[in-house]
Structure formats: C-alpha cells, structure tokens
Amino acid sequence: MGQILARSVTRGRLGLAASLLAMSLVVSSAVAQTGSEGLSPTLSAIKQAHTVRLGYRESSPPFSFLDQSGRPIGYSLELCEAIVEEIGIEVDDPNLKIDYVKVTSDDRIDAVLQNKIDLECGSTTANAERGKRVAFSPLMFVAGTKLMVPKASSVQSLADLKGKTIVVTKGTTNEQAIHAADKKSSLGLNIVVGADHEQSYQMLADGKADAFATDDILLSGLIARHKAQDRFRVTGDYLSYDPYGIMFRKGEPQLSAVVERAFRKLGSNRDLVPLYNKWFTARLPTGERLNVPISLQLEEAFKAMDDSASANN
C-alpha cells in the first residue's frame, strides 16, 4: 500500500512537472511569437531578414531607371530609401540591407500582393480601383496621359489618330484611358501593347505605331534619355489624371504609419522640393535634363507634409 501510494505521489509530481513544463513552453512560444515587438507582418519579416525588398522599373525615368552601370536609380527609389531608414527605426535595425527587385507595369501589383517586394518604387498611379488591393504613400507626383508622336506628324490630339495605330504599355492606367477614349469617340484605333515603356517607345521609333500614349512626364523622360528632342514631341490634352505613390501591402496600419512618417520627416526638413528638383530640373546622373518645374498642386501637397513649428506659425 505504502509503495503504491509512493508511486502515485511520484506520478502526481511528474504529472505536475510535465504540466508546468508544457505551460512554460506555451508561454515561451507566445513570447517568441510576440518577440517581433508586435510588428506587422511585413515589418516582422523585414526585421527577421534584415532586408527590405524594393521593386524598381528599368525604364521609367526619372522615377525609376538604370544608370550607365545598370544600377537602379531615381526619384521614387530615393523616397523608398528614406522609408527604409524609417523602417530601420521602427524595427530597431539601423543597418537594414536593400534588395532591388525588377518589376514591370504588368506584374508590379502582383509582386506586392504575392510578397515578392515590400515597397514598389516606380511610377504607379494611386487610384481607387488599385486602392482596393494595395496601399499607397502620400502623393509624390501628378501626371496624366498624353501622346508622343514624330515631330513631323500632323497629330495634335487623340482625334487625329482616328483609324491609326497607337501603342500603350501593358498594365498601365494609360492603356485603360485609351481604350475608354476610343470607345467613347468611336475612333477605331488599332491599339497595340508594349511590355514596358522602353518597348513601347521602340515601337514608335521603328514606325510600328503612329503614337505612344503614357504619362506626360514619362514621355518627356524617354525623349530626354534617348536624346530624341529632334525626333519626337509630346502633344494632346490630358486623357487621364494620374497621382503617383509608393505602393505597399494593404491592411498593415503600422507599415502605413511608417511610410507616412518618412514623408512627414522629409516635408518637415524641407527635403521634398530639393529632392524633386534633383530629378526633374537638374541634370540627371545619366546626363540629360528634363526641366519640369514642380506643379502648384504637388508643391501644396508637400507643404501639407510639413509638421515643423514654423509651418504652423
């Protein structure tokens, strides 16, 4: 009887010890799961990898393009790099690495949704339709769809292209705008598609299209990059309104706050306008100059990002 009781007590103690150990493991696991300091999924993954993946475009000057050595550069990438600094503060890792990932106009949204990139740093329009799927930074530029045509062309507007061939870049809001305008005005356009802006430009340069439709600033950037001022011109009324933003995953308020904070720091330090001028009015690292002064609308948007005391006086 005494031996049975002893065994029973021993089993009881072992059972209690096992229960306490199990509870300890559960608590430890819970602590480990919140060991990312309650970070959102994207920020937690960045902290674990010590890396931020930036999506870049190869042919969207001056926003995102390649320099002579093939390195991604541009206005949007500099804004993204400022966001990376702010992410470093948020995740307590000031030495985050940057992994540059090539995206196109057609796959950039999927790259965000499929967790292939953390920030998309290109020339992406922030509209309501896209806002249902992804999130955007504060306004960084305002553009609109216009036409690039040969200098000798008589085309002054989209109506002058009736029955002719126009090239657009796949996956852009410009593609949607041209299809809508064609349907509305019964122009009978032959709309062909390029894989990226460079291919669309080449189709126009090779005489395979009568015009190339995309955002006016991108057309100016391509003309400057190819030193083609004597070959092509930008014409026509605006066929769309395209506010640009840095794109990232939706449903992460913490990440959205970090992006907003980065813009507000740049605004409060009066860095946004000089950064704009660096890429739109000064000579680019690749040698060309766009000479596109900041619009009143964008300047006002930048002023709204200024949280400094002097801005409120």
Side-chain angles (χ1 to χ4, degrees), residues 195-274:
D196 56 29
H197 294 317
E198 185 63 29
Q199 187 178 103
S200 297
Y201 172 86
Q202 287 300 329
M203 290 176 74
L204 177 65
D206 295 341
K208 296 178 180 178
D210 299 292
F212 169 26
T214 195
D215 293 346
D216 54 338
I217 185 62
L218 298 178
L219 294 174
S220 297
L222 286 164
I223 288 173
R225 188 180 188 189
H226 287 276
K227 297 179 174 57
Q229 291 86 349
D230 60 337
R231 295 185 61 195
F232 301 109
R233 59 185 173 85
V234 178
T235 189
D237 296 326
Y238 282 110
L239 301 170
S240 68
Y241 169 74
D242 296 282
Y244 287 2
I246 303 297
M247 185 167 53
F248 53 97
R249 269 177 290 286
K250 190 178 177 67
E252 297 193 33
Q254 187 181 16
L255 176 58
S256 184
V258 170
V259 173
E260 171 96 6
R261 203 158 62 235
F263 269 76
R264 290 197 173 277
K265 281 189 177 181
L266 290 172
S268 299
N269 292 332
R270 310 294 201 280
D271 289 332
L272 284 171
V273 173

Side-chain angles (χ1 to χ4, degrees), residues 144-149 154-161 166 178 211-216 219 233-240:
T145 305
K146 283 200 172 189
L147 306 172
M148 182 196 296
V149 297
S154 62
V155 171
Q156 299 293 332
S157 68
L158 188 66
D160 295 330
L161 287 166
I166 185 169
I178 295 300
F212 169 26
T214 195
D215 293 346
D216 54 338
L219 294 174
R233 59 185 173 85
V234 178
T235 189
D237 296 326
Y238 282 110
L239 301 170
S240 68

